Amino acid sequence: MELIALLPVFVSLIFIGAFAGFLAGLLGVGGGIVLVPCFFYSFQALGYNGPQLMQVCVATSLATIIVTSIRSLQSHNRKGFVDWKILQKWVPSIAIGAVCGAYLAASIGSIVLQLIFGGLGTLIGVYLVFGKQSWFLAENLPKGITRWVLGSALGGLSVLLGIGGGSLGVPFMSLHQIAIHRAVGTAAGFGLAIAIPSTAFWLLVPVGSPALPFNLGAVNFLVFLFIVPLTFIFVPLGANLGHRLDAKPLKRVFGLFLLLVAINMMLQALWS
């Protein structure tokens, strides 16, 4: 394919990477919850509307999360915000759930995956709009078989959404009385446990055409190579601005935006 034909893709990726990275830094939300719908609508508009488009969006988002989670984990660890004991206990079940989630996502149609993203995205949006730091479920994280069940569910649901540890892991830990900074730092480790095994699986999944060029399995490396450096540039810019602003109303605005995107994705899937 000629490079000139890919120019609209390059331009859209610049805007997507800058937008997702800036919002992730500004609001402390995982970039995947922004990347997946941005990928989906942009590629659809550019004519890449294959039967497994949603799988490509999810898989490519997870591949970028490997790199961004490593950087985030290193940064939070330097500040002492990573709880390695929590990671040691929760990573095995999360990783198992991630592989199961990837297998499920690869086995279902793109429309079903749209409905799942829309439904779960709506729940996350509601939490961002109405959630309060005073909410809690218990004083400690679950143990034993409950930990294995919930950890697997956390990993599996995250893969179905194409997200790392931030959008589900941070609220989950916060609801169990984990301080927000420690929850955010530890969730970066959750992101690695989710993204590494699921991406390895996605690399082996063939994708039906028409699809974006430069796919390896369901992961698009053209998108990957563009998005990662852009998020590295714009995440710190968003974080610096977020430190100077009150993030609560901004998160509510983003929650409303996510609700609109998630509901639109469900309606589009139902009308397809």
Side-chain angles (χ1 to χ4, degrees):
M1 181 176 287
E2 295 182 1
L3 287 178
I4 191 66
L6 290 175
L7 185 59
V9 178
F10 294 146
V11 173
S12 67
L13 289 178
I14 291 172
F15 282 104
I16 291 170
F19 179 64
F22 187 78
L23 276 184
L26 179 66
L27 304 177
V29 298
I33 201 67
V34 181
L35 286 177
V36 172
C38 283
F39 287 161
F40 181 78
Y41 289 118
S42 296
F43 299 156
Q44 233 183 18
L46 291 169
Y48 299 103
N49 194 23
Q52 292 176 298
L53 175 61
M54 193 65 178
Q55 277 81 351
V56 172
C57 297
V58 166
T60 307
S61 173
L62 288 164
T64 67
I65 287 167
I66 294 176
V67 182
T68 55
S69 290
I70 290 173
R71 188 185 186 213
S72 178
L73 190 64
Q74 291 173 332
S75 175
H76 287 296
N77 188 50
R78 283 196 295 268
K79 298 175 183 177
F81 292 145
V82 178
D83 192 319
W84 293 99
K85 290 183 178 179
I86 291 177
L87 288 179
Q88 184 180 15
K89 294 175 180 177
W90 283 82
V91 159
S93 60
I94 290 173
I96 291 171
V99 174
C100 294
Y103 179 81
L104 176 60
S107 304
I108 59 181
S110 182
I111 290 177
V112 177
L113 199 52
Q114 284 176 242
L115 289 170
I116 292 172
F117 183 94
L120 294 175
T122 298
L123 293 177
I124 295 172
V126 169
Y127 181 84
L128 288 171
V129 173
F130 299 105
K132 298 179 180 179
Q133 290 188 0
S134 59
W135 289 3
F136 74 97
L137 294 175
E139 293 185 357
N140 297 292
L141 289 169
K143 301 178 181 179
I145 188 66
T146 304
R147 179 173 66 214
W148 280 93
V149 171
L150 292 178
S152 298
L154 181 64
L157 291 175
S158 295
V159 169
L160 291 173
L161 287 165
I163 63 177
S167 296
L168 293 179
V170 172
F172 176 75
M173 284 186 277
S174 296
L175 289 171
H176 289 84
Q177 299 289 279
I178 304 297
I180 186 62
H181 292 300
R182 190 154 63 107
V184 171
T186 306
F190 284 8
L192 275 181
I194 292 162
I196 290 176
S198 61
T199 300
F201 180 91
W202 281 119
L203 291 172
L204 305 175
V205 175
V207 174
S209 60
L212 284 162
F214 309 116
N215 276 356
L216 180 56
V219 178
N220 187 273
F221 274 85
L222 174 67
V223 176
F224 173 84
L225 292 174
F226 254 78
I227 292 298
V228 168
L230 284 167
T231 55
F232 274 19
I233 294 170
F234 284 93
V235 165
L237 295 178
N240 289 335
L241 180 60
H243 291 157
R244 296 194 295 268
L245 299 175
D246 183 1
K248 290 181 182 179
L250 295 174
K251 283 191 175 183
R252 291 192 173 93
V253 170
F254 175 71
L256 289 171
F257 166 76
L258 181 58
L259 281 171
L260 292 174
V261 170
I263 292 170
N264 181 71
M265 189 172 285
M266 284 192 291
L267 292 175
Q268 183 177 336
L270 291 171
W271 291 339
S272 297

